[in-house]
Amino acid sequence: MTLMGKKNAAVAGAALLCLAIGASAQTANKVGVISVQGAIVGTKDGQKASQELDTKFAPRKKEFDGRQSELASLQDQYNKGGSVLSEDKRNQLARDIDEKKKRLERDMQDAQEELQSEQQRLLQSLGQRMMAVIEKYAKDNNYTLILDVSNPNTPVLYASSGIDITSDIVSLYDKNPSPAPTSAPGAAAPGSTTMPRPAATRPPGTPGATGRPPTTGK
């Protein structure tokens, strides 16, 4: 082979290598992860909404702190009044502590549920805008898949249509038909889920956290 022929072959080989690299880059899947909750809280709108919630619930928190201090004082009075208070007064004090503690627990639980509802409403409102930004970013930067690491229930935020294999699987399945499976009596339907029960909450620092005051009634 002549020198010119060797040069032409080298150029052709380099061109083919570039084409192969380019094709590989085009077919490679680019995956990104994001914590949507963290992103929302990190935005200026998210920080403003968080501050507004803190301001709204600050008076209620102050009230709960005062009621907890009152209960702690009554508990201390009960513990130290063994030789000072009569049996009737100690029993009445124990009932007062128990009633105040239960009322505080109910009020704190109601406030916590209200706070969570407000937080969820804000997350949904800001989340719609965040999703539009995520989708645009994914398309502009050639991402194939975007996963939300803060939400294990619905982690996929964006998926390119180029990686959707649904039609391929349907076609392959239809080419290899098999007898329809039979369901056992009482079997759960595919995809059915059971909603988890919320964990019980207990206000910290209240009397009765290590056991309610004993009653000495006869």
Side-chain angles (χ1 to χ4, degrees):
M1 180 181 294
T2 63
L3 180 60
M4 183 61 68
K6 291 181 180 180
K7 289 183 178 181
N8 290 337
V11 171
L16 289 174
L17 179 61
C18 290
L19 288 174
I21 294 175
S24 176
Q26 290 178 357
T27 58
N29 293 331
K30 188 176 181 181
V31 179
V33 297
I34 181 176
S35 172
V36 172
Q37 292 184 6
I40 290 176
V41 174
T43 63
K44 293 180 180 179
D45 287 344
Q47 293 174 1
K48 180 181 178 182
S50 179
Q51 292 174 355
E52 289 176 351
L53 279 181
D54 289 342
T55 301
K56 179 179 179 179
F57 284 88
R60 205 171 306 184
K61 182 180 182 300
K62 184 177 180 180
E63 174 197 345
F64 292 150
D65 290 343
R67 290 167 66 178
Q68 286 180 332
S69 297
E70 178 187 4
L71 278 169
S73 177
L74 291 175
Q75 182 69 58
D76 185 63
Q77 180 181 348
Y78 177 88
N79 293 337
K80 296 179 179 179
S83 59
V84 178
L85 299 175
S86 65
E87 182 177 355
D88 289 341
K89 288 186 177 181
R90 279 177 58 82
N91 290 340
Q92 182 60 48
L93 182 57
R95 288 192 291 268
D96 290 343
I97 292 174
D98 189 58
E99 179 61 28
K100 288 179 181 293
K101 178 175 70 68
K102 290 180 179 179
R103 191 180 304 121
L104 178 60
E105 287 178 345
R106 290 195 297 266
D107 291 345
M108 290 184 70
Q109 183 175 357
D110 290 343
Q112 180 66 24
E113 291 175 355
E114 183 180 350
L115 175 60
Q116 290 176 347
S117 177
E118 287 289 321
Q119 290 174 334
Q120 187 65 25
R121 181 183 63 81
L122 290 172
L123 284 175
Q124 290 177 349
S125 176
L126 297 176
Q128 293 177 355
R129 295 180 56 189
M130 181 64 70
M131 284 301 302
V133 173
I134 291 173
E135 183 173 353
K136 182 178 185 305
Y137 178 87
K139 291 179 178 179
D140 291 346
N141 293 274
N142 299 318
Y143 276 90
T144 304
L145 194 68
I146 300 293
L147 302 175
D148 180 11
V149 296
S150 65
N151 189 354
N153 295 324
T154 55
V156 178
L157 299 177
Y158 170 83
S160 171
S161 59
I163 63 171
D164 188 349
I165 64 171
T166 303
S167 60
D168 295 338
I169 296 301
V170 171
S171 298
L172 184 61
Y173 181 93
D174 289 341
K175 291 178 181 178
N176 299 275
S178 59
T182 57
S183 299
S192 63
T193 57
T194 302
M195 292 298 292
R197 299 180 60 185
T201 57
R202 186 179 186 87
T206 61
T210 58
R212 58 178 294 179
T215 57
T216 56
K218 296 183 179 178

